[in-house]
Amino acid sequence: MRGAPLKIAAAQTLVSPDIAANGSTIRSMIAAAAAGGVRVINFCEGSLSGYSKFQIMHPDDWRSFDWSRQEAELRAIADLCGNLRICAVVGGAHRLAEGRPPHNSLYVFSEEGALLTRYDKRYLL
């Protein structure tokens, strides 16, 4: 017996250094996808944090990155996934120990709103 088809969406957003604006756009696209019956939506790398390779030119520049804003946006995205019962893969930087550059990561959220895993591509210079 065959199940219902699984709708998957690939989303390309404008990636800016403004984490709050990126988060708002991502949540809007998640909501639109869920309304269209999509069960999994995948965003590009850096979609939340901004593509920092072009925004942060020196490793010391990471000291000014707004980690608390990114964490708040990740929580809001997770909550929305749980509310709308949709999985999302969202690109963002991931902070490591002090003095080490962050990873370029993909955060994978379940339809329950839980962080399932994180894929780390590599550190950002």
Side-chain angles (χ1 to χ4, degrees):
M1 179 175 184
R2 299 178 76 184
L6 176 67
K7 283 179 97 172
I8 299 172
Q12 177 64 56
T13 60
L14 176 65
V15 178
S16 79
D18 186 339
I19 297 168
N22 293 340
S24 178
T25 299
I26 288 167
R27 287 190 307 279
S28 176
M29 292 188 81
I30 289 171
V38 170
R39 298 284 311 279
V40 179
I41 185 167
N42 185 70
F43 292 88
C44 68
E45 67 179 25
S47 57
L48 179 60
S49 62
Y51 195 65
S52 299
K53 183 176 182 179
F54 298 112
Q55 295 162 225
I56 297 180
M57 304 310 269
H58 188 275
D60 288 340
D61 293 342
W62 281 107
R63 292 187 181 128
S64 64
F65 186 80
D66 192 350
W67 292 107
S68 60
R69 168 53 46 203
Q70 180 175 274
E71 287 300 319
E73 293 296 337
L74 286 169
R75 281 191 300 277
I77 290 165
D79 290 346
L80 183 62
C81 287
N83 290 338
L84 298 179
R85 310 296 293 167
I86 185 172
C87 299
V89 180
V90 178
H94 180 74
R95 182 171 28 186
L96 299 173
E98 186 66 32
R100 295 184 60 203
H103 281 149
N104 182 4
S105 301
L106 294 172
Y107 295 88
V108 182
F109 297 101
S110 73
E111 62 187 8
E112 288 84 26
L115 177 64
L116 292 175
T117 192
R118 188 189 78 240
Y119 167 77
D120 298 327
K121 180 178 177 185
R122 63 184 171 95
Y123 67 91
L124 300 173
L125 298 176

